[in-house]
Amino acid sequence: QQASVVYEGITKAMAGATVTTLGFPLTVTASGWLIACASGNYSVGRALTAAASGDLIPVLVNFAALPAWPGVA
């Protein structure tokens, strides 16, 4: 089977919880869904649109460096 891997750039991902703020940092859950990042978690990208849980949304990801998010947007 074919697969595409995105290391950095714009892609689509599944929202695991409601994301209400455009550009808010996102983190990956244990199940692979993206949720809003909490202070101290590792940010893997930013939401490019608001979303409800279960939505397929465009995100800007960067898995090159995973800095801990300090809690300031």
Side-chain angles (χ1 to χ4, degrees), residues 4-44:
S4 295
V5 176
V6 177
Y7 189 72
E8 63 181 324
I10 297 174
T11 189
K12 292 183 179 180
M14 298 298 291
T18 301
V19 178
T20 58
T21 306
L22 178 69
F24 202 81
L26 301 172
T27 191
V28 181
T29 65
S31 59
W33 295 59
L34 295 181
I35 61 170
C37 197
S39 179
N41 286 355
Y42 290 99
S43 173
V44 297

